[in-house]
Amino acid sequence: YAQIVDGLILGDDPAGGLFKDGRFVHPDMRFSIRFPPGWETANSPQAVIAGAPDRDAEASLTAIGTAGDLDKKIDEFLATEFEGVKLRVLDRRPIKVREIPGIRVTGRARDFHAVMVFFEHEGLIFRLSLLTAVNAERKYRGRAHAFVQSFRPLDDEGIYSLEVTRLRVARALPNETLQQLSARTHNDLELVYTGVLNDLFAQTPLAAGQMVKIGLSEPYFPKPREAAERADDEKDGEAADRTGDG
């Protein structure tokens, strides 16, 4: 059991991206981006989304596929329904996201106006979108530009700047209390929470060698690019096998 739980991340796992100091940071995909301040944010495996306080705009970031022939991928995307409706394209032009070449598409549907920017990063095609109510397009025009241009590839310093709290298993000294063990091991978890986690009271004497779950702050190391690519290939292979079996 100790070997199973040792090393588990407590709280947000940076492998799926997280918000830090006002920016969304994804060390494994090696980028960060700032969503509009004061907007309500949500992170899921499908997209990162932020909604305006007035509920008349939504910003989102999504990876829509693997890199390659960006124009063709955009054509395929626009040929399908977007947000459940057909989008009428008003403008399409090249753009740079910082120094990354991309394409900006503006369009309109019955109920909303859309500004979308497509570009490639780390072998994927990303779409940054700002959707607004039709009558609020001018209100958020500056926000759309600031949102897109806040995208930044992470350098090594940014990639390895995150810390996580990992669950670790410590062994007690003879007659040591949970409070004393926490101090000795530099446990980062609150004492009360540590007690609940271990079903122990703070002042209960522990047996020599008794295993106690604690939390330690440690640097987060993203998966190497090669390992991440192998994991993605294995998932694709498993999906193909299931399709073949069907």
Side-chain angles (χ1 to χ4, degrees), residues 10-66:
L10 300 174
D12 292 332
D13 187 346
L18 50 76
F19 287 91
K20 179 188 177 186
D21 301 330
R23 297 186 69 85
F24 179 76
V25 182
H26 202 307
D28 285 55
M29 290 188 176
R30 293 167 167 77
F31 74 83
S32 74
I33 188 169
R34 183 180 297 278
F35 283 79
W39 289 27
E40 185 176 351
T41 58
N43 179 25
S44 75
Q46 291 74 38
V48 189
I49 300 172
D54 293 339
R55 301 186 181 279
D56 55 356
E58 178 184 279
S60 64
L61 175 148
T62 309
I64 66 169
T66 55

Side-chain angles (χ1 to χ4, degrees), residues 125-162:
I125 294 176
F126 285 86
R127 185 189 79 234
L128 302 179
S129 303
L130 187 75
L131 308 183
T132 63
V134 172
N135 60 357
E137 183 265 329
R138 290 181 180 273
K139 173 182 174 182
Y140 292 104
R141 188 173 294 171
R143 294 287 180 87
H145 176 78
F147 171 55
V148 170
Q149 295 304 326
S150 73
F151 184 93
R152 289 183 175 83
L154 286 179
D155 56 16
D156 285 347
E157 182 179 354
I159 291 170
Y160 298 108
S161 65
L162 298 178

